[in-house]
Every structure is written in structure tokens, then in C-alpha cells.
Amino acid sequence: MRTWASSASWATRTRTHMPSGRRTPARTATTAASAPTPSPDCPTRRTTGSRRAASGAATTALRIRAGCSISSPSIAESQGKRIQEPAYRSCGKFGNGGKLAGKFAAGGKLGGKLGGKYGGKLAQALARRRALAAMSHSGPPGLAAPLSCKSRDGAVELQILCQPETQHRARYQTEGSRGAVKDNSGNGFPVVKLVGYDKPAVLQVFIGTDTGRVAPHMFYQACRVSGKNSTPCKERKDDGTVVIEIDLEPGKNWQVTCDCVGILKERNVDVEHRFGETLGGAAHAARGKKKSTRCRMVFRTEILDAAGQPETLQVCSTQIICTQPPGVPEVCRKSLVSCPASGGLELYLLGKNFLKETRVVFRLQQDGAKWEEEVVPDKEFLQQTHLVCCVPPYQRADIAETVCVQLFVRSGGKASEPHAFYYTPAPPAPAPLHCTPHPAHAHAPHAGEERPLPMCWGVGGMGALMPPPQTPTRRSSIIVPDPHSPLGLKSEVADESSQHSLLEGADGEDKPLPDELRIMDLRLKSEVISRDAQQVALGYDMKLSPGAPAPPEQPSSLVSFTQTLQAIQNQVQTDKMVESVTAAIFNTDPATQMYVDQPILTPMDSMRQLMSSKAAMDTDMKALGPELMMADGLRAPEPALLGYEAGAGGRDDGFNPFGAMTKMEASHIKQRLARQSAHMEALVEDAMKATAAMLPADAAKLDELVNSRVDDHLSGASGSPAAAPLPDMLLSPTATGPCLVMPPAGAPDELMMMPDMPSSVKTPPAAVKSMILNAAAEILTSDSTMNALVTSAINTANILSTESDASPPAEPAAEAPLSAMSQAVSQAVTQAVSQAVSHAVSQAVSQEMTAPVQGLTAMSDQDLLSYINPSTFDQV
DNA sequence: AACATCTAGCTAAGGATTATA
DNA sequence: TATATAATCCTTAGCTAGATG
């Protein structure tokens, strides 16, 4: 067996034998003796461990270290009296005193450890007193005594050749080893050298306060880190402070590499508890103070001068931050992938580890030329997982071609992976209707430039939807169509590709966009928008299609509730659309059965089971998950495979997600969907009623919602092997094929088309309906696979539709027949919608069973804002 | 006996989550 | 109540020693 390993981290070793929860580090007798004194009174842990440690302390109490005058019998005898004298104890007259050490450990440490921030004046006074006492006593000075790094005659000096790293995450006793403190390069370890001395000596290392006079740190201790090749060392306790001792050998030129010293964090509660016994009110007062999480390594050694008199040299390292370092910032989604060179649009980023000082960086590195712009996020919307900032103008506003730059986030000295971001030439027409100007720019449009219109929040049957309350000028930005995309399409960049593609093309040259970047998003077709005004009026596109320019009315504070309700209704109508499509696809009607491939029936069966048993449904869904996943091959169908519905009038008439379908198929769907309309209306009404008790704004829910989305995205909750942009074509029929899904009023009652559905679900209460709608929308908006499929399909359709244009498609046109294309598209949509709706129903039933209805009624304004427009964010 | 491969256990992290101030 | 920080929990890459063929 390895001796190095067996003597190493006891915490890790014992941890594996501990039950979960607060583990008790059951140290071995040998290690306990050298471990930091635990709190015998700690009520929460270290029960046996502390007892062992106490007994271990008893054994070490009599240990005599070099240079320590503990051997004096008189001292030992008078221990009981003198131990309560901090100054005396701090002078290193003796170590822990057996039982007394346990009981009065705090007093022993007090003088030495209160020298830092913690304890304030009390600690400083004690430290001064201790230092004076130290100087007045013979023998080696205490750990808090002020010492020089040079000998009195100046001949000998203790030097730090290599400083420790600035941050080293200390470990808790319940944790495994976190290794030795590295050097500031991160590759080696601190190096200390004794210069001008010719006799063997011992280097002592302990953890001291971070500022001011050197004194043992209250909350941090040195701990021995034993590696196979680490420098041999000893660990002992001096007055409650762990001191690591390493030999300074002539053979190593009196130089020591401190590769065996780690930092251990003592729990605040333990420390305070100890001090509480002896300090009483002072400890209580100190408890409220901010505790330092920094420390310094203190090196000292004892030498003999020319006269044979002992002298202690001491040197202190730079500060070490002992907390867990913040994680690397990560951008998961962004609301824009491109922006006119003039900048000014509002950019939302979803991600992780956004700290307060986070900056969004736009950078171009190309052929030596470098441009970089750092943007400070909106303080108001800077959270750990999301932020809002303003896209800065590009270095030149008169670019003729799209420029790809890197977009990343700097936070905590670290940078996220770069994402591709495209600056496009200034659009000849006014800014796209769906662009969101940043407030800083919104009020100062360029001369001759129309002020960007606010995003249309939906123009449903209830009339134009007003922007969300209290955020009059801050609207969700929508991905800007990129007229300079190779296909003349907006490039919806999946994060997956943006990270990698950009890295590959980091030179910043205006190369043709990678294939992944050609995935376009139908919702961004501005040309569609203008033609879809009528469909917009139906209220299906409150998220994405501005449609007829809504009057840029500045919302007052009075309109909030009404606006919110309207926003909700639009969302519900969008959801309605989802359900319509779903119902059409899931319908057992032979006319639509053609769209249902084999995987579809299975989830439907599962859904029925779910209605009667939540548990059963969960199981089924888990089992069905793989089936519902799309093969990668489906994700990016051959571009040229997809036809485009000529009946829609070609590309200019808007994008049709079902463009690959035959007209007959489309007609069937239309009819089917039309019959759903009445039910949809009923659902909307129910959902609206559910919002009647709308709660006051709760900003925290925005975070929650955003977090959940990020989590979904990160965890791949959709079960998709590859993430993709949002399925807005389904949620925004006006941008994709409104004629298909326009539900006329007065349709028959065929909701969900689930013949065997239990009655309770067949006619669910409003709350359940609302939940289903919400969940469906949620899933659909986060179902990256479905979106990738659909988006790719539509992209392909556009490729075909634009083949007549001057720009040829980058991908060679495939020779596959149109039917194959049609099937690919319909299968993709079918699968995705199937999964989404199944899951939605599952969620709704689960919620109904386990929790009160939350849904729309409990959403804050910001919640709603985010909810209503989830497609603001791109996806991986 | 020497060598290659496999396996188990461990360290040294890093990150996430939960508890607490 | 919201936020920041502390404390704990979980996971993993890489390394090493021992077992095995």
C-alpha cells in the first residue's frame, strides 16, 4: 500500500464511509493528533471526531517543539492558572494543554487570532498586549509577535523566492484535500529560502491574517498535504494554531519548496462558539462583523546568531483569497446574433456566472487589426444568470458586408467562450419593426432615421397589445434579419455553432457563413412581417411579428394590468396555435394521419395513461424519451429537399413551415385547425379568467423563469442531442404560414383529439388548460431539437425558393424527391410537437396533482415579459 | 521474472446546491 | 425578504498501486 496516500487526506478517506448529510470526519488517532482542534461543543458534527481530537490534543499537549520552553516544569504546573492569560499563551510557552486545551482553546487562540479584522479593537488590543508580553518573556516569540525577516546583524535573511497564488480555495474539514497552495504561476509551489545561514534550521509555516500585523488567522489553518513527492514535513499545533515544519537543509541550499501546505477553513460557527465561551459579549459583537476570507502564509525560522543567541526570522506572503473562485462565465443564449453596424439594440444574454463587474465584449481580430468594445450591462438587469446590454456600434458604420465579430462575457477575470455576432450594413429601410432599441439609443435616433418602432406585443382580437408595464422602452429584442446573409436570410445562430464556428473562423474574415449559421429563423423575416399584418391582427404573433406598425405609444403606469392581460391573451393565443397544430397532427383523422409517423402514437398512448396516473406517465415519458429524440440526421435535412409552397405566392408571401406539404395536406390541416378554433377560444377565456387574480409583480420570478430556461437548456431537458433555435414558426404562425393555422371562430369541439381521454382531462378546468398551454409553449420554445429540425427545414425551403436568385445555395442541391422532403419536414414537426404536448400534459397533470396552479396568474410583469417572448433568446 | 493491461482507490480539484448571515 | 456568503455535497480527470494474465 502507498504510504503517501494512507497518510493523506483523512477527510476524503473517511468521507466515503460516512452517511450522507453532515459527515463526521472520523479521524484516525494519529491524524487527529495533528489535526486542527475541533470544537468539542459543536452541536452539529464532529461528535466522535471531536472527542478523538480532544484526546489527541491531550497527547500533543506535552509535545515539546524546538525552541519552545514548554519543558519547564514550573510552567506545566502552573498551567491551570496561567492558561487564561492570552499574552502568556501566545508567547508559545506551551501548546494545547490537554483537557484545558479543549475547553480553553479559544482563549489560547484568542490572543493570536484576533489580530485580524475579526474582533476589531479587542483583537488589536490583545495582540498588542500579547506582543509586549512576548518581548518581555524569554524564549521564542509567539506566533503573533512582530518579527523581522532579517537577523539583527543583517547577515541572515528569510526570503520568499516564490509567492503563493493569489487564490487558493481552502478546504473544510468535511471536504477532501484541495491540494497544497500553489505559487503565483500556478505550476509550482511557494519557495522560501534562508539566506546567509550555515546551519540546519526548521522552517515553520502557518496561516496568518490578511492585513496588518502578522498573527494567526482566526478562521484558517495550515494543513499538511501529503503527496508522493511532496516535501516531508511535520504538523504540530502551537497555541491552537497549526504550524507546518519543514527542514531547511544545507543540501537544498536552505531552500524549501512548500508543496505540502494547504489551507483549512474552520467553520465560523465553531470559531465563534469557541470564542463565545471566553469572550462572551465581545464574541457576540464580533460575530456580526464581516469575516475576512483572505489570509497570508507566514514563514518563520529560528536561527542562532554569532553569539549563539536564538533569533526568530519571519516573513509573510502576499494575500491569498481562500474562497471558492467564481465559475467561468458562460453565455448560453443571446437575443441577437446580428445587429446593424450602428448598434444600439438591446441584447439579452442568458448564461451563468455573471458577476457584478461583468462586461460584454465585442471583439474583432482580423489580420492584425483589432477592434474591441466593452459594454457595461444594465445594472438593473444584471443577474447571475442573465443580463441586458446595448450592442455597441461597430467601428465603422458604413460597412458594405456583414462582419463577424466575437461576442463574449468577461467576469471575475475570466471570459466566456466567444460567440459569433454579426454586424450588418445599415438597412436601407427603417430598422426592422421587431428590433429593440436600447433605451440609451431609443431616444436619439439618427437624423433621417425613423425611430425604431417598439415591438408589437401582439394584436389579438382584443386589439393592439400594449408593451408590458413599467418597461416602456425596454423591449425584448428580436433577432435581426440579416439581409447580407448568403441567402438573404436572417441567420439564426445556434450557440453550439457560434462557439465553435467562431473559433474556427476566429480570424474574423468575412468568410461565407458556416452551414450551421445558415439556419434561419422564420420569425425574423421582415418582409414576411409586412405582409402578415392581417394575420398579426389575429393575434398569433405577439412575440415576433410586429405586423402593422403598432402605434409606438408610450405606456403609462396605468395600463399595466390591462396590458398584461392582453399580453397573456396573446400568449395564450400563441399557445392556442400550438395546440391547434398539435391537434391537427395528432388527430386520428385519416386525412391527417399521414403526418403521424410511428413514434407519434406511442406518446399519445402514454398521455392517456398519464391522465390517470402521474407516476405512470412519468415512467412512460422516460421510457419514451429516446424514441422521441430526433436523429441527428434529421436535424439538418438536405437543404434542397424541401419544397416551398408555391401557392403561398413564393417567398415573398412569407414562410410556410409546411411548405413542403402538398396543398392537399395543407388543406387538411387548415380544416382541422379551423375546427379547433372554438375550443381555443374557450381555452383563452379560461386562461384569462385564471389571470383575474393576478398577483403583484414579483421580480424574482423572472430569475426563476430564466433560470429554469437556462437549466432546461443546459440539462438538455428536451432530450435533444443537439440544441437549436426556438420553434417560433409554430408559435408565430404569422411569420411562417399564417394561412395554415388561422383558426376561424366557431369551430367544433375537438380539442386535443384524444378519444380515450378521461373526462376530467377531456374538459379540463381552466387552470389545467392554462397549465397545459403554458407547458406546451414552454417546451416548444425550449425544444431545441424540434426547432432545429423545423428551422432547418424551413431554411431549406428558402434555399429552394431562392434558388432563382443570384446567390446560389452553398450546399449542393439534393436530388431527393419532393415527397421525401415533405415527409422529413412533417415528421420533424410531428415528432417535436408530439413530444412537447405529451410533456406538457404530463407537466400539467403533475402540477395539478402536486401543487396549486401557478401559471399565468402568479407571474409578475417581468415574468410575463420573459414568458411572452421566450424566443427572444437563441439557443444552443 | 518481466511486462502489459485492467481495476480500484485516491487526490485534487471544479461546480452546484443548500444553509446561514 | 432578498442577497451574499458560507458550508456542504457531488462529480470527475488524472494518477498510482495492486492484481492479473
Side-chain angles (χ1 to χ4, degrees), chain A residues 87 125 140 298 417 443 599 634 701 777-778:
Chain A
V298 184
E417 287 287 314
H443 55 78
L634 280 177
K701 288 182 178 165
E778 176 78 13

Side-chain angles (χ1 to χ4, degrees), chain A residues 28-39:
Chain A
T28 62
T30 52
T31 54
S34 58
T37 304
S39 167

Side-chain angles (χ1 to χ4, degrees), chain A residues 285-583:
Chain A
R287 191 181 307 147
K289 293 188 178 299
K290 182 171 173 62
K291 299 158 184 69
S292 171
T293 55
R294 298 167 182 234
C295 69
R296 290 176 293 184
M297 293 179 78
V298 184
F299 305 94
R300 61 165 52 183
T301 186
E302 192 168 89
I303 61 171
L304 296 174
D305 61 15
Q309 294 296 315
E311 183 179 5
T312 301
L313 308 182
Q314 177 174 291
V315 64
C316 181
S317 79
T318 53
Q319 278 191 6
I320 304 170
I321 303 168
C322 298
T323 54
Q324 176 179 357
V328 177
E330 184 179 328
V331 176
C332 302
R333 295 187 192 178
K334 53 188 183 295
S335 62
L336 297 174
V337 290
S338 66
C339 174
S342 55
L345 293 185
E346 201 170 57
L347 172 65
Y348 298 3
L349 295 183
L350 295 189
K352 292 191 299 186
N353 301 319
F354 297 161
L355 306 180
K356 279 183 177 177
E357 74 278 14
T358 291
R359 300 290 182 267
V360 182
V361 181
F362 295 77
R363 173 193 281 173
L364 171 70
Q365 280 179 307
Q366 175 184 9
D367 299 334
K370 182 180 178 182
W371 169 79
E372 180 175 311
E373 199 69 37
E374 198 175 79
V375 177
V376 179
D378 255 338
K379 205 174 180 180
E380 187 181 356
F381 296 109
L382 174 56
Q383 298 292 332
Q384 208 169 10
T385 54
H386 59 268
L387 61 82
V388 178
C389 70
C390 177
V391 177
Y394 186 59
Q395 57 178 343
R396 286 170 38 226
D398 59 341
I399 55 175
E401 292 183 341
T402 297
V403 176
C404 177
V405 302
Q406 290 182 337
L407 163 66
F408 60 94
V409 162
R410 271 196 202 117
S411 185
K414 299 171 182 174
S416 70
E417 287 287 314
H419 284 234
F421 189 82
Y422 298 90
Y423 277 107
T424 60
L433 299 179
H434 50 271
C435 291
T436 305
H438 189 273
H441 291 243
H443 55 78
H446 295 293
E449 187 178 294
E450 279 189 35
R451 175 177 174 165
L453 293 170
M455 186 183 76
C456 177
W457 287 90
V459 190
M462 295 174 65
L465 182 63
M466 305 296 287
Q470 297 174 1
T471 55
T473 59
R474 192 182 302 281
R475 300 174 192 87
S476 304
S477 56
I478 306 302
I479 300 170
V480 182
D482 182 0
H484 295 265
S485 157
L487 297 174
L489 306 172
K490 172 266 162 188
S491 305
E492 171 68 39
V493 182
D495 278 21
E496 183 183 32
S497 61
S498 58
Q499 288 191 13
H500 302 300
S501 62
L502 188 62
L503 290 174
E504 292 161 4
D507 55 6
E509 292 178 16
D510 291 341
K511 296 173 180 175
L513 292 177
D515 292 343
E516 311 91 273
L517 299 184
R518 294 201 183 93
I519 299 171
M520 62 145 210
D521 192 329
L522 299 174
R523 59 193 167 167
L524 301 172
K525 298 295 294 182
S526 58
E527 57 269 50
V528 172
I529 290 166
S530 62
R531 291 173 171 268
D532 288 343
Q534 289 181 340
Q535 282 73 34
V536 168
L538 293 173
Y540 288 143
D541 197 20
M542 53 81 183
K543 294 196 322 181
L544 301 165
S545 298
E553 184 175 342
Q554 291 299 322
S556 71
S557 59
L558 302 176
V559 299
S560 61
F561 187 69
T562 302
Q563 290 172 358
T564 306
L565 283 179
Q566 288 171 336
I568 292 168
Q569 192 195 29
N570 276 279
Q571 177 60 51
V572 170
Q573 286 177 331
T574 299
D575 294 338
K576 217 169 62 173
M577 166 61 194
V578 172
E579 254 186 287
S580 297
V581 175
T582 302

Side-chain angles (χ1 to χ4, degrees), chain A residues 6 45 193 333 433 708:
Chain A
S6 60
R45 67 189 185 107
K193 184 176 185 180
R333 295 187 192 178
L433 299 179
S708 69

Side-chain angles (χ1 to χ4, degrees), chain A residues 99-333:
Chain A
K99 291 179 182 179
L100 288 175
K103 187 171 183 179
F104 297 100
K109 282 185 178 180
L110 181 63
K113 290 196 169 183
L114 288 181
K117 292 177 181 176
Y118 192 83
K121 291 181 179 178
L122 170 65
Q124 292 175 11
L126 288 172
R128 279 194 297 272
R129 185 177 164 193
R130 187 178 53 238
L132 289 173
M135 288 182 283
S136 64
H137 284 76
S138 60
L143 296 178
L147 297 169
S148 169
C149 62
K150 279 189 177 180
S151 62
R152 284 185 286 265
D153 58 6
V156 185
E157 182 179 4
L158 187 61
Q159 296 177 340
I160 298 178
L161 300 184
C162 193
Q163 290 282 355
E165 57 192 340
T166 56
Q167 180 150 34
H168 176 85
R169 181 173 168 179
R171 77 169 176 91
Y172 287 86
Q173 291 188 334
T174 54
E175 289 187 315
S177 170
R178 294 202 173 273
V181 178
K182 308 283 194 308
D183 67 359
N184 47 18
S185 73
N187 298 320
F189 299 92
V191 177
V192 177
K193 184 176 185 180
L194 182 59
V195 180
Y197 197 62
D198 58 357
K199 303 181 190 67
V202 173
L203 179 72
Q204 302 175 357
V205 186
F206 65 94
I207 303 301
T209 53
D210 57 331
T211 56
R213 176 185 294 149
V214 172
H217 202 289
M218 247 183 148
F219 298 98
Y220 295 99
Q221 295 273 20
C223 64
R224 189 161 60 112
V225 177
S226 304
K228 182 182 178 183
N229 300 314
S230 58
T231 305
C233 63
K234 297 173 187 171
E235 187 182 81
R236 64 172 184 81
K237 269 204 160 178
D238 184 350
D239 201 11
T241 298
V242 176
V243 178
I244 306 293
E245 291 184 336
I246 312 169
D247 289 336
L248 283 162
E249 301 170 0
K252 294 181 180 176
N253 201 23
W254 288 272
Q255 187 170 311
V256 164
T257 299
C258 298
D259 56 359
C260 54
V261 181
I263 301 176
L264 183 135
K265 172 74 165 65
E266 294 198 89
R267 298 201 313 167
N268 291 339
V269 64
D270 291 346
V271 174
E272 287 163 0
H273 197 264
R274 280 205 308 274
F275 289 137
E277 285 190 347
T278 51
L279 278 182
H284 181 75
R287 191 181 307 147
K289 293 188 178 299
K290 182 171 173 62
K291 299 158 184 69
S292 171
T293 55
R294 298 167 182 234
C295 69
R296 290 176 293 184
M297 293 179 78
V298 184
F299 305 94
R300 61 165 52 183
T301 186
E302 192 168 89
I303 61 171
L304 296 174
D305 61 15
Q309 294 296 315
E311 183 179 5
T312 301
L313 308 182
Q314 177 174 291
V315 64
C316 181
S317 79
T318 53
Q319 278 191 6
I320 304 170
I321 303 168
C322 298
T323 54
Q324 176 179 357
V328 177
E330 184 179 328
V331 176
C332 302
R333 295 187 192 178

Side-chain angles (χ1 to χ4, degrees), chain A residues 68-81:
Chain A
C68 181
S69 57
I70 194 171
S71 56
S72 166
S74 62
I75 293 174
E77 288 169 4
S78 59
Q79 220 176 57
K81 295 178 183 176

Side-chain angles (χ1 to χ4, degrees), chain A residues 470 695-700 859-862:
Chain A
Q470 297 174 1
L695 300 176
D698 182 2
M859 285 186 177
S860 67
D861 295 341
Q862 286 184 318

